[in-house]
């Protein structure tokens, strides 16, 4: 499913399976095309995103600007299983939209890549919040990590971050960091990453 612009949208009890072919190959993709579009009061509840060649859930907001209406997207009680990446949130620029993207009681398991990957996200714009989410056996490559924050285009965000984890859980059988953060330049900073995550396994 691709959502370009929506207000008061509810997607419930839906299976988002085996998407391939044309990128981004996600189970569900929130991706506006211009600053005038909006993603307001969008709820995805009790859905399963499984077996997709891209992310199970993708939110990509690069076209939105500070002049755009604040975003409000909630994923609740969803299962994200056996996708290339579990959850992918990207391109919330320094001059991007305000608002909040929240994942509540979402289970992510068996992702080949990161269980959650937040990239090119300004710490001062729309927040990303994970509440009681669980990640199990993600990042199948040992050199990877269950969670990732990555600034690959520093021109989009001088400081990246603005991510909150509230009573979340990670089960990982590899001895590696549970979260990695990378900046595109030596001066790049990660900030406003807060919360509580319980780890089971040798992760550190």
């Amino acid at each position: 499913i691709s959502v370009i612009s929506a207000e008061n949208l509810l997607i419930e009890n839906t299976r988002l399976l085996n998407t391939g072919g044309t990128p981004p190959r996600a189970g569900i993709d929130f991706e506006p095309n211009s600053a005038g579009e909006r993603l307001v009061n969008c709820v995805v509840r009790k859905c399963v995103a499984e077996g997709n060649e891209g992310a199970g859930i993708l939110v990509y907001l690069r076209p939105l600007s500070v002049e755009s209406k604040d975003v409000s997207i909630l994923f609740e009680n969803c299962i994200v299983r056996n996708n290339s990446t579990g959850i992918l949130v990207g391109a919330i620029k320094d001059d991007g939209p305000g608002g909040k993207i929240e994942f509540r009681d979402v289970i992510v398991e068996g992702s080949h890549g990161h269980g959650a990957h937040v990239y090119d996200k300004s710490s001062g714009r729309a927040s990303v919040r994970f509440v009681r989410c669980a990640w199990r056996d993600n990042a199948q490559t040992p050199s990877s990590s269950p969670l990732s924050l990555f600034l690959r285009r520093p021109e989009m965000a001088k400081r990246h971050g603005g991510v909150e984890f509230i009573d979340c859980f990670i089960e990982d059988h590899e001895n590696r960091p549970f979260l990695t953060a990378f900046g595109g330049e030596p001066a790049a900073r990660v900030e406003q990453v807060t919360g509580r995550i319980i780890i089971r396994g040798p992760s550190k």
Side-chain angles (χ1 to χ4, degrees):
I1 296 176
S2 182
V3 181
I4 296 171
S5 184
E7 188 163 356
N8 300 323
L9 170 70
L10 173 63
I11 299 173
E12 192 169 30
N13 295 314
T14 300
R15 296 175 68 82
L16 311 161
L17 308 178
N18 303 321
T19 304
T22 304
R25 303 186 292 270
I28 186 165
D29 171 25
F30 284 83
E31 187 173 349
N33 290 328
S34 69
E37 289 166 340
R38 60 183 64 188
L39 295 169
V40 177
N41 191 28
C42 298
V43 178
V44 179
R45 179 180 293 134
K46 296 181 181 177
C47 293
V48 176
E50 183 172 7
N52 299 287
E53 291 182 11
I57 294 172
L58 170 61
V59 181
Y60 184 84
L61 302 185
R62 183 173 185 175
L64 298 186
S65 74
V66 70
E67 303 296 331
S68 302
K69 198 158 185 178
D70 284 358
V71 300
S72 48
I73 307 172
L74 171 65
F75 299 89
E76 185 175 29
N77 293 115
C78 294
I79 297 174
V80 182
R81 179 189 296 130
N82 298 338
N83 302 281
S84 178
T85 302
I87 294 168
L88 190 60
V89 179
I92 302 173
K93 307 170 292 184
D94 285 337
D95 61 349
K100 180 170 66 176
I101 303 156
E102 181 167 322
F103 300 86
R104 188 186 303 163
D105 298 304
V106 173
I107 296 171
V108 183
E109 55 190 13
S111 304
H112 178 75
H114 302 294
H117 182 52
V118 180
Y119 69 99
D120 294 343
K121 188 217 166 295
S122 173
S123 62
R125 300 309 295 155
S127 64
V128 176
R129 193 171 190 236
F130 297 95
V131 181
R132 297 184 303 274
C133 293
W135 289 271
R136 301 188 178 99
D137 296 323
N138 295 284
Q140 305 298 318
T141 304
S143 60
S144 186
S145 61
L147 306 179
S148 171
L149 305 175
F150 183 40
L151 182 61
R152 65 181 180 184
R153 291 172 289 193
E155 68 276 9
M156 294 183 65
K158 291 183 174 60
R159 295 177 175 86
H160 68 126
V163 182
E164 186 177 12
F165 299 90
I166 299 176
D167 296 330
C168 291
F169 172 82
I170 292 176
E171 182 175 326
D172 187 26
H173 299 297
E174 298 288 342
N175 183 15
R176 59 187 175 183
F178 69 90
L179 184 150
T180 52
F182 298 97
E185 294 180 348
R189 293 172 51 183
V190 180
E191 61 183 23
Q192 298 181 37
V193 178
T194 62
R196 178 173 181 263
I197 302 175
I198 297 171
I199 311 296
R200 185 164 73 186
S203 283
K204 52 196 174 185

